Structures are given as C-alpha cells and as structure tokens.
Amino acid sequence: MCNNKVPQRSYSENNTNLPKQLPLVGLGCSSFSSFFSSEDNNDELTVDTVSRELPVVIGWIQTIQHAVLNRGINLLDTAPWYGHGVSETVVGYALDTIILSDEGCDQAQQRKRSDLIINTKVGRYEADVLKQFDFSYETTIKSVQRSLERMNCSYIDVIQLHDPEFAPSISILLKETIPALLECKRRGWARALGLTGYPLDVQHEILVKAASEFNTIVFDQSLVYCHNNIHDNSLFSEYCFPSERAATDTFAGFCQHSNINLMAAAPLSMGLLTHSGPPAWHPAPTVLKEACVKSSKLCASEGINLSSLAILYSLSHPSIGCTLLGMKDEKEVDVAADLASRFSTVNFDKESQDSILDQVLTRKEKDVLEKLLDKTDGPFAQLKEDYRWDGRKAARTFWELVDGMKQKS
C-alpha cells in the first residue's frame, strides 16, 4: 500500500452544473448494504433496523471515512435501491462525521460539502417486485426529499434516473419522471441530472427524446456500466447511435457531441472479471461466464491478478471522467486507490488509451492483456453477440413476472 491520494482529472469544462474535476475512482456505495452479498449475516439488515452502533455499520462508516479523508476518493454514488434505503442511510452516517458543520476546517478529519460529490438515483426502490419501480412525478419528488434527509446533506450533486429500461414506457419518463427531476433541480435539491442503465440504446433513445420534448439537453451526465471493460468495449466500438454529426456514432461519441459527460461503473462486470467468479444471479450468458473463467485461468498461470488488470484497463480510457467501483472495506479501498495512483502522471487530455496503458502496466501485464484482447485466439474472440447480455429482455421478463403475480392475486 502506497497511501497516495487517488488522482483527480478534469471532467466538465463546458457544463457548470457538473464538477470541474473528479477522482479517477469513485466509491460505489451498494457495498454498504446486503444488496450484492449476504456475508456476515447482513441480509436481515433493513432501513428500519440499521443503526450507526452496529459493528458492520461502524466498519462501513470507517471505510467511507478512509476513502474520502485518506485516499482522496471524494465521489460517493448511492441509490435508494441499494439495500432499499440502507446504503443512503449509511452514507448519511458517514457524512455526519466528514462534512464540516461550522466555520473552520480540520483538513485531516473533515471536508466542506463543496469538496464532496454525492450522487444518488430515483426510479427503483423496493425488493417487492410489485413496488420495485415507480417513475411517477409524486414518488420521484418524495424520493429526492427522502435521500436528502437520509444523507443529511443540503443538496445532491447529480440525481440520476435509475434503470429506465424498466419503465413501463418512455412516455411516463417524459411526462412525469423528468419533469419531477427538473423541478428538483429548480428547487436547488440537485445541481445536475443524470441517466444510468444497462442498455445503451435505451439511454440513447431517452436522451434524444428528452432533448426534443424539452427543447434542451436535459441530462448532464450518463453513467454506463459493464460496457467499458475487457470483454465489452461497446461504449466506444459499436456504431449504431445516430447523432447530428454522423449517420451512426458510438454512444460515447454521441454523448461527446451532445455535451453529455460520461462516467462508467462495474469495471469487474459485476464479478465476472474476478478469480472467484460472478454471483449466481448474474445475467451474463453461459458462454461469457465460461470465457471469463478462461481469462481467470490465463491470468493465474501468468501470476497476474485478473481483477487488478481489469480495473487498470477500465481506468485507462481518456473519455471516462470517473469509474465507480464497489469497495466494502478499507483493504479494498487501498487496493483500488493504489491501482489508481499509477495514473498520477498521466495526461488524460492529450494521450490515447494505448499510450496510457503503456505507462501504467508492467511488461507482464501488457503481455497478458494482449492475450485477453486477442480477436483470434483470446478467450472472448468467438463470443460474437454473447460478450454482453440483453438488458431489454431482462426488463420484459420482469414485467411478465409482475403481470403474472397481479393475475394470481
């Protein structure tokens, strides 16, 4: 562990709603709940039972403190969906100890609110499938109010529309959710608006239709996940998104032309790019999971940690302002921060991804990455369309389940 601060990089030069700088790595706060794991018997922890005195919560608070105060990871991304309120509540506990409450600032122990970037979401909420999604105007307004109360902060930097591919229709987003988000911004509850979801084509459709409906660029930021990693680079490689400048463009290119800033999450593809493998619920097709196992074995045979290499690869793209990574304890914070510190001398504004990778990877890491990305003999070479999963299909399956439950009741 080197204890260096995570490098900051320029983010928004043309949009004053967004921060001018972001840490290269942001703290994904789904880990501060039982959302992805039931380790330590935390599966029974709810928003009604969570308490700052619980040992596991104390550990989470200390993790957030360590990330912000010691390693310079000053961006926190959470959501009401994460632990169904638990994550936002834990973030609030930590912010109570971090944010300066009066004049004067102990730089070692506290930060001004303006020194932090706190993002959350609306649209997805409860474990009960019948109550999981709600994109109505009233619920959106109440959700933002509740998030402000849980996190005990005066404003949220970016309020994001969460998993809009699950909305019953784009019409409800245009008529209810987005007007509610704009109202939250008007009231000063949010500095900027964002959009996040898995299918890039759904994000593109919403961004285009919202701009047309409101005659302006509504969303300041797009957060994508699992599309900027070793097995799926479609964010930059798939030319199927019409833009004003080209008949077809990549999603990243479309966002750049539209003055929409990009962030990315899940560089480990929700557990696929780890030596332990993904959780049982992972939506990836079997052939992709098998290819990731081959990648893990290849890395292990060369003495390379697959997860570390995957993180370095995702961090290296100059078009991504910040990459969100879940870090459940101080050890994971230090691992991520140490990897990010390799980029401390990189000029992201002037260098290509290949040039950046040449600077931050060891010779052996470069050789292994080349084998992983080999389009002829690499583990992902024969996947064709199976390098990702069908996000729209997942949404259709969900609503079929809801319809079936309603019919039975």
Side-chain angles (χ1 to χ4, degrees):
M1 185 180 73
C2 63
N3 276 324
N4 290 336
K5 302 280 188 179
V6 166
Q8 296 271 325
R9 55 163 301 185
S10 60
Y11 185 55
S12 177
E13 296 180 356
N14 302 317
N15 187 334
T16 57
N17 296 329
L18 294 168
K20 291 184 178 180
Q21 286 191 319
L22 295 182
L24 188 58
V25 173
L27 184 59
C29 296
S30 62
S31 300
F32 308 126
S33 69
S34 56
F35 188 66
F36 284 129
S37 172
S38 59
E39 291 180 7
D40 302 318
N41 296 316
N42 296 327
D43 51 319
E44 72 276 8
L45 193 62
T46 71
V47 71
D48 295 319
T49 62
V50 66
S51 165
R52 67 182 78 223
E53 284 79 32
L54 291 173
V56 65
V57 175
I58 292 172
W60 288 337
I61 294 171
Q62 291 172 343
T63 299
I64 297 171
Q65 292 170 333
H66 180 61
V68 174
L69 301 175
N70 300 331
R71 302 312 303 259
I73 302 175
N74 63 323
L75 187 150
L76 311 180
D77 182 274
T78 184
W81 169 240
Y82 302 156
H84 317 300
V86 172
S87 175
E88 284 190 329
T89 301
V90 172
V91 168
Y93 293 158
L95 293 179
D96 285 344
T97 70
I98 293 172
I99 294 179
L100 183 71
S101 57
D102 50 24
E103 294 186 6
C105 183
D106 181 347
Q107 290 292 333
Q109 299 299 325
Q110 289 187 299
R111 296 290 184 271
K112 298 176 182 177
R113 171 65 185 90
S114 58
D115 293 332
L116 303 177
I117 302 151
I118 304 168
N119 300 343
T120 191
K121 308 177 182 75
V122 298
R124 193 168 193 174
Y125 304 105
E126 303 297 334
D128 182 346
V129 295
L130 297 178
K131 300 177 181 179
Q132 193 167 132
F133 292 96
D134 190 333
F135 297 96
S136 67
Y137 184 98
E138 182 180 5
T139 296
T140 301
I141 293 288
K142 289 181 177 179
S143 177
V144 176
Q145 288 178 304
R146 187 170 57 241
S147 294
L148 288 167
E149 292 168 1
R150 284 175 178 163
M151 295 190 290
N152 194 25
C153 57
S154 54
Y155 65 91
I156 293 163
D157 288 275
V158 186
I159 291 285
Q160 301 160 101
L161 175 52
H162 199 181
D163 291 343
E165 64 267 29
F166 288 89
S169 68
I170 289 185
S171 176
I172 192 173
L173 301 179
L174 296 174
K175 300 302 182 184
E176 298 208 33
T177 321
I178 293 174
L181 290 173
L182 290 169
E183 176 62 16
C184 291
K185 187 176 176 182
R186 188 192 69 79
R187 295 183 187 185
W189 296 350
R191 297 286 175 85
L193 303 183
L195 182 65
T196 180
Y198 181 72
L200 298 179
D201 59 326
V202 173
Q203 282 213 42
H204 176 264
E205 183 178 4
I206 294 169
L207 292 170
V208 170
K209 289 186 175 180
S212 176
E213 177 78 13
F214 296 94
N215 199 31
T216 187
I217 299 298
V218 172
F219 292 100
D220 305 283
Q221 174 180 291
S222 167
L223 170 62
V224 303
Y225 67 94
C226 298
H227 293 299
N228 177 39
N229 57 52
I230 289 173
H231 72 78
D232 181 354
N233 199 33
S234 57
L235 179 62
F236 303 100
S237 62
E238 193 168 279
Y239 286 80
C240 59
F241 302 98
S243 70
E244 293 182 359
R245 300 195 179 191
T248 58
D249 203 347
T250 65
F251 184 77
F254 165 79
C255 288
Q256 181 181 12
H257 300 154
S258 304
N259 195 29
I260 298 168
N261 288 64
L262 266 178
M263 285 177 49
L268 303 182
S269 206
M270 301 192 300
L272 281 176
L273 298 172
T274 64
H275 290 292
S276 58
W281 51 259
H282 201 291
T286 300
V287 289
L288 176 54
K289 292 179 180 179
E290 292 172 345
C292 290
V293 171
K294 291 179 182 177
S295 300
S296 176
K297 291 179 178 178
L298 190 159
C299 287
S301 69
E302 298 285 348
I304 296 296
N305 184 285
L306 172 60
S307 297
S308 294
L309 185 59
I311 292 170
L312 289 166
Y313 178 78
S314 294
L315 296 183
S316 67
H317 205 289
S319 296
I320 300 297
C322 174
T323 297
L324 300 178
L325 183 64
M327 303 169 239
K328 69 178 185 294
D329 54 37
E330 292 184 34
K331 180 179 179 181
E332 291 191 356
V333 168
D334 286 333
V335 169
D338 289 349
L339 290 171
S341 69
R342 295 200 202 182
F343 295 82
S344 58
T345 61
V346 168
N347 187 337
F348 284 96
D349 296 327
K350 295 184 178 181
E351 300 186 50
S352 67
Q353 184 176 27
D354 288 342
S355 172
I356 293 169
L357 287 169
D358 281 341
Q359 295 177 57
V360 302
L361 297 184
T362 66
R363 180 69 264 170
K364 183 177 283 190
E365 287 170 339
K366 292 176 187 176
D367 292 342
V368 172
L369 180 61
E370 185 176 343
K371 292 177 182 178
L372 292 174
L373 298 178
D374 191 296
K375 295 183 179 180
T376 302
D377 299 317
F380 306 108
Q382 307 304 318
L383 289 185
K384 297 182 180 179
E385 290 298 316
D386 288 326
Y387 62 88
R388 58 185 176 187
W389 48 96
D390 188 341
R392 284 183 180 265
K393 181 180 179 181
R396 289 194 300 270
T397 300
F398 174 85
W399 287 111
E400 288 170 2
L401 174 63
V402 171
D403 290 340
M405 293 178 67
K406 287 181 178 178
Q407 289 173 9
K408 287 181 180 180
S409 62

